[in-house]
Each structure stands twice: as structure tokens, then as C-alpha cells.
């Protein structure tokens, strides 16, 4: 038991230190995703230490190290729980009607189209965004196009296709390719029946992983390019999608500071989405950020429909009168952080993702 305790302590220390090293290789970035699980394992190992037999003289040093790691991770994670104090707001007379959206990575090779359609019919969102949606998914979703007459489709077979559907009038929509010509983002300008305009931005950058991109350069460059574009838009805005990133990573925080957007997970919950089949190994990588005029009423995951991601459901309203009350939740990038963001954007553009135009399962 003592050997197991030592091995776990060293492993957890490595997993804690690796993300602190500012290198874009996936080896350094992937441990960021498992911070919740790492924290649980640290607590388990700390308890295991007291049960271990034959405790040597340096036992309390290793226990102290585990305690420091536990405190370090907990301080970061507690912001994404209801324990972190955040002011709540109620809908007023001057606010928009409540609006709902669903964001879902459908998994390109998932053939259970009807389960997703049933989910849309059940929750009846005003808008919804699909990622990894290809030609087959586009064809399957034609059955509900009458309910969603406004559409913007980017049909790809490389697992980066995106489709946007709306009941709300879309005044204009465009596709951005910020760092690569096969990684799209959707920008849609909408206007509600009660006269409120807002922008819906859908993103899905590639992840750093041993099976996909070797580094996080394209992901970070794409997200920070989106952040720059957001700063040019003078309307209420929501950015959602499969970020292939976690809210507490350096690049996510830099995205939030550069865009001047708010992370609604802070003071609420993790809203973990991936992997849909393994609850204990689930990470919050389908993120959302919003401007100060947007007020979140509800945000949660919905039931699995066959994808490897759980869909995200959000209910919100727009209020231009109350918006100043959320200014305190906006962080601003320093001069050094702005320069770092520009450098990461250029690195993302220079990186060659070397992806196949058509990806098949297996």
C-alpha cells in the first residue's frame, strides 16, 4: 500500500506541474482537462496515506505536498461551483422574452438522428447549433427545417461541419475560417420579435491530443481570433460550442479577457459534457461565454442522444438596462496578455493541421 501511495503522489504531482509549463504540446495541455478527477484522486491519496503501513520519517512531507496540491486545485475549481458567490438577477419588464438554445456536438458517425430530433422537439429551443454535422446529418435534420426557417450550414466531412438553425429572424450570417480553411466558425446576427438584437457565435477548434493535433496552437489561435472578432461587434453576444478546452485553462482565461465576455459557469456548475458515456471521466469542454447584456436563467446538460458529447441547454434573456450590473464580472487583458494573444493567433495560422478532407470512422 505504501508503494501505491508513493506512486500516486508522484503521478499526481507530475499531472499538477505539467499544465504549468507553457508549452503547446498535447502532453502539457491534456492534464488541464482532468483537473476535477485529479483533485478527487489527490484527496483519495491523502486519505490512503493515513492507512498506509510502515510510514517513514518523510511521511508528513508527502502528506503536506498532497495537501498543498489539494488546496491549489480546489481554489481554482471552487469558482465553478455554487459555493462561489455571484450576484443573481431577475427578469424585468424591459427585458427580452426568455430565449433558449441547444449546442450539441452530434459526433459525425452517430447515426441516431431521430434521438437528437426528439430532443429538439422536447425542449423546443429558439436556436440550436450542431457540430461534427456532415451531409448525412444535414439530410436527417431536414424534417424539422419548417420549424427552424433560418439556417446557416457549413457541411463538411472532416468532423468540423457546423449547422445553425433558428426560429428567430437571422438578419445576416457568415462563416469565418480564422486559422485554417477547414475549421469554420459561424457568426449569426439575430433579431427577436420583441425587438432585441444579438449575435450568436458558434466555434469548434481542433483539440490537442495524441490522435488529433499534436499541439494546441490551432485551437488557441482560433479561439483568440474569435475573441478579437467579438470585440468588434457592438451588440449582445453569445459564443458557444465545443471549445476542446476547459474554462480554467490559460487560453480560455485569455479568451475571456480578450473578448470581454463572461463565463456563466462561474458561480454555477462545471456543466461537464465529454465523455457522455463515462460519468466519472467527464470534462466540461463544451463552453459558453456571453456579453454583459445577456443574463443566464438556466444552463445544464441534457440527456445523451448517442453522441460522445452531452448537449448543452441554456435559457437566457437580454436586458440593456441591467447590463452595467455585470461589469464587475468582466476581466480585461493586460498589455502583455494582448501581445501574447496576438502571438498565439499568428502561431495558430502558421500551424499545419494536416487533416483529411473526409474522415471515416475507425
Amino acid at each position: 500500500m505504501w508503494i501505491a501511495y508513493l506512486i500516486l503522489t508522484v503521478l499526481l504531482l507530475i499531472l499538477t506541474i505539467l499544465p504549468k509549463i507553457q508549452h503547446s504540446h498535447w502532453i502539457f495541455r491534456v492534464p488541464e482537462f482532468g483537473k476535477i478527477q485529479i483533485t478527487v484522486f489527490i484527496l483519495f491519496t491523502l486519505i490512503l496515506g493515513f492507512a498506509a503501513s510502515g510510514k517513514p520519517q518523510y511521511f508528513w512531507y508527502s502528506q503536506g505536498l498532497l495537501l498543498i496540491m489539494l488546496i491549489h486545485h480546489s481554489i481554482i475549481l471552487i469558482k465553478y461551483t455554487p459555493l462561489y458567490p455571484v450576484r443573481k438577477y431577475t427578469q424585468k419588464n424591459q427585458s427580452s422574452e426568455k430565449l433558449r438554445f441547444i449546442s450539441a456536438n452530434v459526433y459525425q458517425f452517430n447515426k441516431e438522428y431521430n434521438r437528437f430530433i426528439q430532443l429538439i422537439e422536447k425542449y423546443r429551443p429558439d436556436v440550436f447549433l450542431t457540430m461534427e454535422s456532415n451531409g448525412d446529418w444535414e439530410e436527417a435534420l431536414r424534417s424539422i427545417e419548417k420549424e427552424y426557417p433560418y439556417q446557416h450550414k457549413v457541411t463538411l466531412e472532416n468532423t468540423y461541419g457546423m449547422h445553425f438553425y433558428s426560429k428567430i429572424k437571422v438578419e445576416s450570417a457568415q462563416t469565418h475560417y480564422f486559422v485554417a480553411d477547414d475549421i469554420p466558425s459561424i457568426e449569426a446576427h439575430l433579431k427577436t420579435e420583441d425587438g432585441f438584437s444579438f449575435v450568436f457565435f458558434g466555434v469548434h477548434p481542433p483539440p490537442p491530443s495524441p490522435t488529433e493535433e499534436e499541439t494546441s496552437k490551432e485551437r488557441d489561435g482560433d479561439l483568440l481570433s474569435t475573441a478579437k472578432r467579438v470585440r468588434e461587434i457592438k451588440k449582445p453576444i453569445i459564443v458557444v460550442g465545443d471549445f476542446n478546452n476547459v474554462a480554467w485553462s490559460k487560453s480560455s482565461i485569455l479568451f475571456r479577457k480578450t473578448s470581454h465576455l463572461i463565463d456563466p459557469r462561474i458561480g454555477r456548475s462545471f456543466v461537464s459534457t465529454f465523455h457522455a458515456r463515462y460519468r466519472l471521466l467527464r470534462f466540461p469542454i463544451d463552453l459558453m461565454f456571453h456579453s454583459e447584456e445577456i443574463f443566464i436563467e438556466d444552463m445544464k446538460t441534457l440527456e445523451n442522444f448517442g453522441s460522445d458529447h452531452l448537449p448543452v441547454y441554456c435559457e437566457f434573456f437580454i436586458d440593456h438596462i441591467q447590463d452595467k450590473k455585470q461589469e464587475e464580472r468582466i476581466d480585461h487583458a493586460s498589455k502583455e496578455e494582448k501581445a501574447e494573444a496576438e502571438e498565439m493567433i499568428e502561431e495558430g495560422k502558421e500551424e499545419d493541421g494536416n487533416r483529411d478532407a473526409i474522415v471515416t470512422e475507425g
Side-chain angles (χ1 to χ4, degrees):
M1 186 179 291
W2 177 250
I3 298 299
Y5 166 79
L6 287 179
I7 291 172
L8 280 172
T9 301
V10 172
L11 178 60
L12 292 166
L13 178 61
I14 292 171
L15 292 174
T16 298
I17 291 174
L18 279 176
K20 301 298 180 186
I21 301 172
Q22 294 309 311
H23 194 287
S24 61
H25 195 278
W26 66 265
I27 288 175
F28 300 94
R29 302 278 61 87
V30 167
E32 293 175 319
F33 291 73
K35 187 176 288 291
I36 300 170
Q37 290 79 7
I38 289 169
T39 305
V40 172
F41 270 104
I42 289 172
L43 179 60
F44 168 79
T45 307
L46 189 66
I47 296 170
L48 178 67
F50 289 109
S53 58
K55 300 167 187 172
Q57 195 172 19
Y58 52 81
F59 166 74
W60 289 108
Y61 291 104
S62 58
Q63 287 290 85
L65 179 62
L66 286 167
L67 182 60
I68 290 171
M69 288 192 289
L70 181 64
I71 293 171
H72 165 73
H73 290 293
S74 298
I75 288 173
I76 294 171
L77 292 178
I78 199 169
K79 290 182 66 176
Y80 303 93
T81 72
L83 297 175
Y84 190 80
V86 173
R87 189 184 301 176
K88 307 298 182 183
Y89 301 95
T90 56
Q91 194 171 9
K92 305 295 184 181
N93 292 332
Q94 72 276 359
S95 305
S96 73
E97 295 294 324
K98 287 183 181 178
L99 303 168
R100 302 173 302 278
F101 75 78
I102 289 176
S103 169
N105 183 322
V106 297
Y107 183 57
Q108 181 171 300
F109 311 108
N110 175 22
K111 304 299 182 184
E112 299 188 60
Y113 310 117
N114 285 335
R115 287 181 66 185
F116 180 71
I117 291 170
Q118 288 168 7
L119 183 138
I120 295 297
E121 291 174 341
K122 176 181 178 180
Y123 291 96
R124 304 181 65 81
D126 298 287
V127 300
F128 71 89
L129 174 75
T130 62
M131 292 152 286
E132 289 202 29
S133 41
N134 61 355
D136 291 340
W137 271 95
E138 181 177 315
E139 186 62 31
L141 293 173
R142 292 194 193 281
S143 63
I144 55 174
E145 285 188 357
K146 288 184 179 179
E147 291 291 319
Y148 295 88
Y150 302 98
Q151 303 140 20
H152 188 79
K153 305 174 182 178
V154 188
T155 309
L156 298 172
E157 302 292 334
N158 64 350
T159 72
Y160 291 97
M162 301 179 78
H163 289 69
F164 175 74
Y165 297 84
S166 175
K167 294 179 180 179
I168 303 169
K169 181 181 179 181
V170 176
E171 296 186 313
S172 66
Q174 59 181 309
T175 306
H176 296 284
Y177 296 91
F178 288 122
V179 298
D181 59 7
D182 59 349
I183 302 294
S185 299
I186 291 177
E187 176 187 330
H189 293 246
L190 300 92
K191 189 168 186 178
T192 65
E193 289 185 357
D194 52 351
F196 287 82
S197 296
F198 70 101
V199 179
F200 188 97
F201 224 114
V203 300
H204 183 204
S209 80
T211 58
E212 296 195 52
E213 301 307 313
E214 186 175 310
T215 75
S216 63
K217 290 181 179 179
E218 279 192 308
R219 180 198 70 183
D220 297 341
D222 189 75
L223 291 176
L224 290 167
S225 296
T226 300
K228 281 188 65 178
R229 171 59 187 154
V230 165
R231 292 294 301 134
E232 298 171 357
I233 300 172
K234 307 304 179 184
K235 296 179 182 179
I237 189 165
I238 293 173
V239 181
V240 302
D242 177 2
F243 277 59
N244 278 311
N245 207 356
V246 283
W248 49 78
S249 75
K250 182 177 180 179
S251 55
S252 277
I253 293 171
L254 192 56
F255 170 88
R256 177 162 54 84
K257 288 182 174 182
T258 303
S259 63
H260 296 182
L261 297 181
I262 297 166
D263 183 353
R265 279 173 165 77
I266 294 175
R268 189 178 298 271
S269 66
F270 296 121
V271 195
S272 298
T273 56
F274 178 87
H275 195 286
R277 296 188 187 92
Y278 311 117
R279 182 181 295 273
L280 297 180
L281 297 176
R282 197 170 288 170
F283 313 132
I285 63 174
D286 293 85
L287 304 183
M288 171 194 173
F289 295 86
H290 64 86
S291 62
E292 61 197 80
E293 305 94 342
I294 303 289
F295 294 82
I296 307 302
E297 287 279 282
D298 189 20
M299 184 179 180
K300 61 186 178 182
T301 57
L302 301 179
E303 54 266 35
N304 186 12
F305 58 91
S307 174
D308 52 354
H309 288 245
L310 294 177
V312 174
Y313 171 90
C314 182
E315 188 174 292
F316 67 97
F317 63 88
I318 305 168
D319 193 326
H320 295 282
I321 306 299
Q322 292 193 64
D323 61 357
K324 299 300 180 185
K325 296 182 180 180
Q326 289 201 113
E327 280 187 334
E328 63 192 37
R329 299 186 64 185
I330 298 174
D331 290 329
H332 299 271
S334 65
K335 184 178 179 180
E336 292 75 17
E337 287 173 325
K338 290 177 181 177
E340 185 178 9
E342 290 292 342
E343 183 180 348
M344 292 169 77
I345 290 171
E346 291 306 313
E347 287 180 350
K349 292 177 179 178
E350 292 170 3
E351 188 76 358
D352 181 11
N354 195 28
R355 285 171 292 272
D356 295 328
I358 300 177
V359 177
T360 56
E361 190 172 17

